[in-house]
Amino acid sequence: LTAASHGLTEDAERLSKALAEAEVPLPSLKDGAACLLPPIPLQRTCDNSWPLLEVSKGLVHDALAKGIDMVAEEELVDDPDEVKEALGSDADDFDDDDDFFGEDKDDLDLGEEKEELGGGGWGDDGDDLDFGADDADDAADEEVVDSSAGADVFVAPNAGVDPSTLWAQNSSLAADHAAAGAFESAMRLLNRQIGVVNYEPLKKTMRDIYLGTRCVIPGMPSVAPMSAVLLRDETNSLPSTCIKLQALVDRLRVAYAAFSGGRFSDSIQEFRSIMYGIPFLVVKKAEEREVKELLNICKEYVIGLMLEMKRKETKDPVRALELAVYFSHCKLQPSHLVLVLNIAMKAAYKQNNFITAASLAQRLLGMPESNLEANRSKRTVATKVLKKSEQSGRNEHQIDYDSSKHFNVGAFSMKPIYQAEKSVKCPFCGTHCLPEKENETCPVCGIAQLGVETLGLVVSS
């Protein structure tokens, strides 16, 4: 097939005979089969603005060029008769036997002075001196001088700096260092800025940033492809990273859907994956507030989900009531808070803690979302619980909860930490813990060290 389609008639006949002798059927040649040739390269000649570097051809070429010029000059005066014919009568003035001033130089008699000029009165005894190693040094110096005589020796220009090296030098963002492949410096920045000590959850994100910054451009057939880097804009030499704020917001919707569907394990995993992408964001100064708000949302949901999962594992009904009440104080979306308040209100009513149940029912009824058609049954139940609780007005069990005071839930103890009490914070997500948990890894984000004073999250240059 190759010989027939490429016009190699003799080879095609020879191969067809060999196949016939071997009783192998001949393959059929398709219509339109032709020789495959690479595309003809095009060269733009109208705009020859590419910078060119003048390169000297070296000492040998210069010497050869001078020799050719000398030979050319000798060829011009090879025939003296032609020169005399050209000069005419003036040629006698330049006869080889006469001096330029018309005097015969053979008539000069210099006598003894002529002999003294050729004498050896000064002697050449210095030529026989043996200076040992100094002679070799002098010879080497002469060679160096001779080799340096050619000032036109071509010197190759210095290699340029890799763009990724400049990224790590000119930026204080962890994303730029990860894009440059400088993972160690990126980890040092994360440790200084937000106190990161556990880098294992961030490994995949840093690898994705490094790979996403590079692209491969295919070229001509049989030619290796060209590699290039993606930049943020034409005026900025820093890389364009694959972690975008809008992408994290889209993942937040996925986490919300898992929360509403009761898939708490999937939901907490989604919220934490968003948190792991936030340190590698590159945003404008005006978008920093949105980034911090996104981080706080993820923190509140992770704490709430930890409380809910702990409540389902707890066999003590009073402790389960406390965890449900604490969950209702997390800053959630209104539609989600209705679900949490409904669970906590029912748990308090079942344990005959009517005062707690009444406060939760009032909070639920005071939300505008309770008037929606989807929440009509919850509003009806809350109305009945409030009426019955106001009639009883007692709590059967003492729980660690004061609705009149603001508090933060301790991530380790799962108990309230009121404003007057001492606590340590996570430098990344802001989670509160008891002072004895200082220098431990935050259980909410899982990457930062508690109680470390740092600069804070840096996502804009």
Side-chain angles (χ1 to χ4, degrees), residues 161-175:
V161 181
D162 187 21
S164 60
T165 304
L166 299 177
W167 298 346
Q169 293 177 354
N170 301 333
S171 176
S172 60
L173 301 181

Side-chain angles (χ1 to χ4, degrees), residues 11-90:
D11 293 336
E13 293 177 355
R14 177 177 54 81
L15 292 173
S16 62
K17 291 180 181 180
L19 292 175
E21 293 176 358
E23 297 182 356
V24 177
L26 291 176
S28 60
L29 184 65
K30 296 184 178 181
D31 297 336
C35 176
L36 296 178
L37 295 176
I40 300 175
L42 301 178
Q43 181 181 6
R44 181 181 296 177
T45 58
C46 60
D47 184 13
N48 191 13
S49 61
W50 186 262
L52 300 177
L53 178 64
E54 295 183 0
V55 179
S56 174
K57 296 182 179 179
L59 299 175
V60 177
H61 182 273
D62 295 342
L64 292 175
K66 292 179 180 179
I68 293 173
D69 294 339
M70 293 174 64
V71 171
E73 292 176 0
E74 291 177 359
E75 292 178 352
L76 292 176
V77 295
D78 275 346
D79 193 352
D81 295 335
E82 295 180 0
V83 178
K84 288 183 179 182
E85 293 178 0
L87 294 176
S89 61
D90 296 333

Side-chain angles (χ1 to χ4, degrees), residues 143-188:
E143 293 178 359
V144 172
V145 172
D146 293 341
S147 63
S148 61
D152 289 337
V153 175
F154 168 67
V155 179
N158 295 329
V161 181
D162 187 21
S164 60
T165 304
L166 299 177
W167 298 346
Q169 293 177 354
N170 301 333
S171 176
S172 60
L173 301 181
D176 293 335
H177 286 248
F183 298 119
E184 292 186 4
S185 60
M187 291 188 290
R188 284 196 297 269

Side-chain angles (χ1 to χ4, degrees), residues 17 21 32 36 46 48 71 118 120 122 140 174 189 222 252 256 261 274 291 313 368 373 376 378 401 404 451 458 461:
K17 291 180 181 180
E21 293 176 358
L36 296 178
C46 60
N48 191 13
V71 171
W122 294 103
L189 283 176
S222 303
L252 182 64
Y256 282 160
I274 296 172
V291 174
E313 297 174 358
E373 184 66 24
R376 177 183 294 182
K378 297 180 181 62
Y401 171 68
S404 62
V458 179
S461 57

Side-chain angles (χ1 to χ4, degrees), residues 120-131:
W122 294 103
D124 296 327
D125 297 338
D127 296 338
D128 299 333
L129 296 180
D130 184 11
F131 295 101

Side-chain angles (χ1 to χ4, degrees), residues 357-368:
S359 64
L360 295 171
Q362 289 176 350
R363 289 177 58 192
L364 193 153
L365 294 172
M367 296 182 62

Side-chain angles (χ1 to χ4, degrees), residues 167-303:
W167 298 346
Q169 293 177 354
N170 301 333
S171 176
S172 60
L173 301 181
D176 293 335
H177 286 248
F183 298 119
E184 292 186 4
S185 60
M187 291 188 290
R188 284 196 297 269
L189 283 176
L190 292 174
N191 178 263
R192 295 170 184 172
Q193 293 174 358
I194 55 177
V196 175
V197 292
N198 180 23
Y199 300 96
E200 186 63 27
L202 307 177
K203 181 178 179 180
K204 182 181 182 300
T205 305
M206 288 193 288
R207 183 179 59 209
D208 292 344
I209 292 174
Y210 174 76
L211 296 176
T213 310
R214 286 152 178 80
C215 64
V216 177
I217 305 173
M220 302 287 291
S222 303
V223 178
M226 298 178 293
S227 60
V229 293
L230 304 178
L231 302 179
R232 294 175 195 168
D233 51 58
E234 297 179 355
T235 60
N236 199 331
S237 60
L238 294 175
S240 175
T241 58
C242 61
I243 306 298
K244 304 295 184 182
L245 179 58
Q246 185 59 45
L248 297 183
V249 173
D250 294 339
R251 297 193 69 173
L252 182 64
R253 298 191 183 97
V254 177
Y256 282 160
F259 182 91
S260 300
R263 294 179 281 111
F264 298 142
S265 299
D266 296 340
S267 181
I268 197 171
Q269 185 177 358
E270 289 293 333
F271 282 116
R272 280 179 173 159
S273 66
I274 296 172
M275 297 176 75
Y276 298 152
I278 288 177
F280 299 101
L281 283 174
V282 180
V283 299
K284 299 179 181 178
K285 204 73 175 178
E287 296 176 329
E288 284 187 351
R289 185 181 60 83
E290 298 179 17
V291 174
K292 293 180 179 179
E293 182 180 354
L294 177 62
L295 177 60
N296 188 63
I297 290 173
C298 294
K299 177 203 72 172
E300 293 291 334
Y301 271 87
V302 170
I303 293 176

Side-chain angles (χ1 to χ4, degrees), residues 362-383:
Q362 289 176 350
R363 289 177 58 192
L364 193 153
L365 294 172
M367 296 182 62
E369 286 72 17
S370 63
N371 297 321
L372 298 176
E373 184 66 24
N375 297 324
R376 177 183 294 182
S377 60
K378 297 180 181 62
R379 183 177 181 84
T380 302
V381 174
T383 303

